[in-house]
Amino acid sequence: MNPLEFVRQTPPFDTLPQEALAAVERGLEIQFFPKGTRVLERDGPPSDHLYLIRKGSVRLLREGREVLALEEGDCFGYPSLLSKDAPAFDVVAEEDLLVYGWGAKDFAALTAYPAFAQFFNQGLAERLRLASQGVAPALNPVNLDLSLPVGEILQRGPVFVDSGSTVQQAARLMRENGISSVLVTDSLAHARTLGILTDRDLRNRVLAEGLGPDTPVTQVMSTPVKTLPASVPLFEALSFMVRQGIHHLPLEDGGKVVGVVTDTVFLRQQARSPLYLLRRLERTRDPADLRGYREELTGVAEALLAGGLGAREIGRSVSSLNDQLVRVLLELAEAELGPPPTPYAWVVFGSEGRMEQALLTDQDNALAYQDDLPEARPYFARLAEFVVQGLLQAGFPPCPGGYMATRWHKPLAEWEALFRRWIEQPSPPELLEAQIFFDFRPVHGRLSLQGLEQVVAHSGENGLFLAHLARAALQFRPPLGLFRRIREEEGGVDLKKGGIAPVVSLARVYALEARSSARGTLERLEAAARAGRLSAEGAETLSEAFNFLTRLRLREQLGALRRGEPPSHKVPLEALSALERRHLKEAFVEIREMQEALSQRFQTDRLG
């Protein structure tokens, strides 16, 4: 391959129009540096060239510590070239190095092309945000643009019925208008919406209960009405309907209901719609009916990713479906075992607790109950076994570490004592495993976990606990070495260990320090920034890195499933474009820098 062919295939030169390539060829200089050469010196003269590595590799060093390794197709020298400041790193040839270079004037001329200039001038957060938008599976996206305001799909205004009406009058009004719901108001002026009456209410609360046509609508309507602003995006409306388990969603504008959107809008995708799967769960009468849930949920995740949704939105939708699955299993369990002897709460933690699942992963669940009665332990042991086995039938693998309710079911007082011990007497080996419990989230049951929430809320006051949690957050480190070696020796980059898990752990520490009750990683980063525990820029960059890495992992996992292969956290480097590899390296550098800052802040090297 001649030099120009290589250059024109390498980002950002691949964005240049044909007329610019002649200038690229004219200005191209070929330089060779033997192994060990210091090409640029930290705090030395500014770089006078943009360098593109053709063969070999370099290491970027700060005070002798390796920050990043660059190899074929990577650029360096441009930060100093743009700012005219001294280089921030020593750039040392790790191998014999062949580079292509362009002087300052040639580089400046090329930056007249916007796409080329953006490659060097955009902040990392913005680059990762744009990169995330390009991560999608190879299938047709959903029919709807899920970023549209949900109000734009309304086809008609709402239909109201007065609170003094009967169900027969309401049913006639629904038939005359060809609709499946009416809104119940306290007057014909529609001053206040009291509730909503749907065709499901007529079937389940009127006909099935043997009530007559003169039954007041206020007796059988659904109340209070769950609404959203008409300006929210479609994906948010979809996620809300799944979480609430509703099929009709009134929309408001300026405090007034302007229409009702129904689940039929989203059912156009058939089995790929979250609401389609929600309806399937509602019809479940036996755990055996849940076979195939894993495959259907995979289709939902694939459609949402193709529809352009981010990690937060996909995680919320998938986790909401999994929550409903658990509720169905618990209701079936109670129907078989009888009512619980004392109030309880089914709890999930880990990625499910953070609402960040996309594909089904290991079960991470537990159970807390109120009173330590003699009959409580055997009852909840059987309840946990029923639900865990049902989750296995649905496709949830068992947790290799045994973090499931079959083992972790105990009175709330014992849970509170356990959390206090983790916080007040932190043990490094124990906390390394226990940290995911701090992502807990109740899914079902009447037991309030407010006491446990308060215990966790006060954990941010314990500096020793935070320091040990910070050290646990350093368990996994992003790889900063040559990707070529990773490809040859490890078969790909582990996105979970290298990037996703470190960001999750960083967010957990900073959020607890900020006394935030947030569970999701992105929400935790936002809370930490608001509290001043993390810079706004750092929080934004980590958030975009998390979104990019999560979507990239999901895309590769879905691709593996389509090929009949087991999904993995590793991504083969040959599956990534040159630009994606660059973004991956930059994300890893930022995550590593944030880990170093966390370590210094909590002085983790001084812990015994």
Side-chain angles (χ1 to χ4, degrees):
M1 186 183 298
N2 67 45
L4 188 58
E5 286 183 34
F6 175 81
V7 171
R8 68 191 306 172
Q9 294 178 20
T10 305
F13 297 92
D14 60 345
T15 66
L16 291 171
Q18 188 63 36
E19 65 268 17
L21 294 176
V24 169
E25 186 173 20
R26 286 194 305 271
L28 187 149
E29 302 175 22
I30 300 177
Q31 301 184 44
F32 174 80
F33 299 97
K35 178 181 179 180
T37 302
R38 195 176 301 272
V39 183
L40 295 175
E41 184 177 356
R42 185 186 182 201
D43 297 329
S47 174
D48 56 5
H49 280 76
L50 165 69
Y51 294 104
L52 172 64
I53 300 176
R54 178 63 182 89
K55 287 187 180 298
S57 60
V58 300
R59 292 185 298 154
L60 274 58
L61 306 176
R62 180 189 292 143
E63 297 179 349
R65 180 175 63 87
E66 182 174 337
V67 176
L68 182 63
L70 302 178
E71 53 197 320
E72 182 178 310
D74 289 328
C75 295
F76 67 92
Y78 58 88
S80 173
L81 185 60
L82 286 168
S83 66
K84 310 298 183 185
D85 294 331
F89 309 100
D90 290 317
V91 180
V92 180
E94 185 174 21
E95 306 167 317
D96 286 347
L97 183 66
L98 179 66
V99 297
Y100 298 154
W102 290 265
K105 289 184 178 180
D106 294 311
F107 177 63
L110 292 174
T111 57
Y113 297 94
F116 186 89
Q118 286 175 1
F119 184 91
F120 300 106
N121 292 325
Q122 278 180 331
L124 178 56
E126 181 61 23
R127 291 200 299 274
L128 290 173
R129 183 180 297 112
L130 294 174
S132 296
Q133 295 171 3
V135 175
L139 82 167
N140 294 326
V142 292
N143 291 338
L144 293 174
D145 179 355
L146 295 174
S147 65
L148 283 175
V150 64
E152 291 193 13
I153 65 172
L154 288 176
Q155 296 180 341
R156 59 173 301 156
V159 176
F160 299 93
V161 65
D162 186 76
S163 58
S165 303
T166 66
V167 293
Q168 183 179 52
Q169 291 171 323
R172 285 175 176 168
L173 192 61
M174 291 164 65
R175 183 183 64 184
E176 292 168 2
N177 287 273
I179 54 178
S180 57
S181 68
V182 290
L183 295 165
V184 181
T185 63
D186 57 358
S187 71
L188 291 178
H190 318 316
R192 185 163 58 100
T193 303
L194 302 176
I196 184 171
L197 185 73
T198 70
D199 52 1
R200 288 172 174 265
D201 295 328
L202 292 174
R203 182 175 65 246
N204 298 332
R205 298 178 182 178
V206 180
L207 293 177
E209 298 297 328
L211 300 181
D214 294 330
T215 303
V217 290
T218 53
Q219 181 178 331
V220 293
M221 68 182 181
S222 296
T223 186
V225 181
K226 297 171 182 177
T227 66
L228 281 181
S231 59
V232 303
L234 270 169
F235 70 77
E236 189 172 329
L238 169 61
S239 179
F240 181 80
M241 294 175 75
V242 172
R243 290 198 307 272
Q244 299 294 329
I246 59 178
H247 302 269
H248 297 77
L249 176 63
L251 302 176
E252 293 184 329
D253 186 11
K256 295 183 179 180
V257 176
V258 294
V260 178
V261 65
T262 68
D263 56 7
T264 54
V265 172
F266 301 101
L267 291 176
R268 297 174 186 175
Q269 291 302 305
Q270 297 299 317
R272 291 185 179 275
S273 165
L275 285 169
Y276 179 91
L277 190 49
L278 179 65
R279 283 188 173 182
R280 182 188 187 289
L281 290 174
E282 290 175 345
R283 295 192 296 269
T284 299
R285 298 294 179 265
D286 188 287
D289 298 338
L290 296 171
R291 293 190 181 95
Y293 174 83
R294 180 190 186 103
E295 291 71 21
E296 291 183 74
L297 190 68
T298 297
V300 168
E302 190 169 33
L304 294 177
L305 179 62
L309 298 196
R312 188 192 323 235
E313 292 76 31
I314 295 174
R316 283 178 178 174
S317 294
V318 170
S319 296
S320 296
L321 287 168
N322 292 340
D323 288 352
Q324 183 61 25
L325 168 65
V326 168
R327 294 186 193 105
V328 167
L329 287 170
L330 286 166
E331 289 168 0
L332 293 175
E334 289 185 30
E336 180 172 309
L337 301 175
T342 185
Y344 74 93
W346 185 273
V347 177
V348 293
F349 45 93
S351 61
E352 188 69 18
R354 299 188 303 272
M355 298 196 82
E356 291 169 0
Q357 277 209 349
L359 301 183
L360 294 191
T361 57
D362 302 341
Q363 294 189 42
D364 290 315
N365 48 54
L367 192 151
Y369 52 92
Q370 183 171 288
D371 300 314
D372 192 9
L373 304 174
E375 62 270 31
R377 289 185 184 270
Y379 176 91
F380 289 115
R382 293 194 297 272
L383 183 81
E385 182 66 27
F386 184 101
V387 176
V388 166
Q389 289 302 316
L391 290 172
L392 289 173
Q393 287 186 296
F396 278 88
C399 176
Y403 294 107
M404 297 181 293
T406 45
R407 176 184 170 192
W408 293 85
H409 55 274
K410 53 186 81 218
L412 180 58
E414 290 187 19
W415 278 110
E416 292 177 359
L418 179 61
F419 271 72
R420 286 195 186 94
R421 179 168 62 79
W422 284 336
I423 294 167
E424 296 170 3
Q425 303 170 10
S427 165
E430 190 176 20
L431 197 56
L432 194 63
E433 298 295 328
Q435 58 182 323
I436 62 171
F437 279 90
F438 287 84
D439 302 339
F440 78 89
R441 180 173 59 85
V443 170
H444 185 74
R446 295 190 295 110
L447 178 63
S448 169
L449 299 183
Q450 184 178 0
L452 192 58
E453 293 278 5
Q454 291 177 346
V455 171
V456 173
H458 290 297
S459 67
E461 301 169 3
N462 189 318
L464 182 61
F465 165 72
L466 290 176
H468 278 284
L469 194 65
R471 184 164 70 174
L474 307 178
Q475 175 187 11
F476 298 120
R477 298 272 191 161
L480 299 182
L482 297 175
F483 273 17
R484 181 175 69 248
R485 291 176 184 169
I486 294 174
R487 177 169 52 242
E488 294 169 353
E489 299 171 9
E490 302 178 27
V493 179
D494 192 317
L495 297 178
K496 180 179 180 179
K497 290 183 178 180
I500 296 172
V503 176
V504 166
S505 298
L506 286 166
R508 183 186 295 119
V509 176
Y510 282 120
L512 290 177
E513 185 189 24
R515 318 292 201 272
S516 170
S517 61
R519 291 292 184 268
T521 297
L522 299 181
E523 289 80 8
R524 281 173 163 172
L525 290 171
E526 292 164 0
R530 287 194 302 270
R533 304 298 179 179
L534 188 61
S535 71
E537 181 182 1
E540 182 185 19
T541 302
L542 285 177
S543 296
E544 294 304 333
F546 179 79
N547 195 36
F548 171 66
L549 294 170
T550 302
R551 283 172 55 83
L552 189 61
R553 178 180 64 172
L554 179 56
R555 184 190 71 183
E556 295 308 309
Q557 289 177 333
L558 291 170
L561 288 170
R562 288 197 300 273
R563 296 189 299 271
E565 302 169 1
S568 168
H569 297 299
K570 287 189 175 182
V571 54
L573 289 171
E574 55 269 19
L576 304 179
S577 68
L579 196 55
E580 287 174 334
R581 288 196 293 272
R582 182 214 183 196
H583 289 139
L584 196 55
K585 286 183 178 181
E586 291 181 320
F588 285 165
V589 169
E590 182 65 21
I591 293 169
R592 178 69 73 92
E593 292 290 310
M594 297 294 288
Q595 285 183 319
E596 293 297 330
L598 184 78
S599 178
Q600 293 176 16
R601 179 171 183 169
F602 290 100
Q603 300 181 331
T604 58
D605 57 334
R606 297 187 179 183
L607 295 174

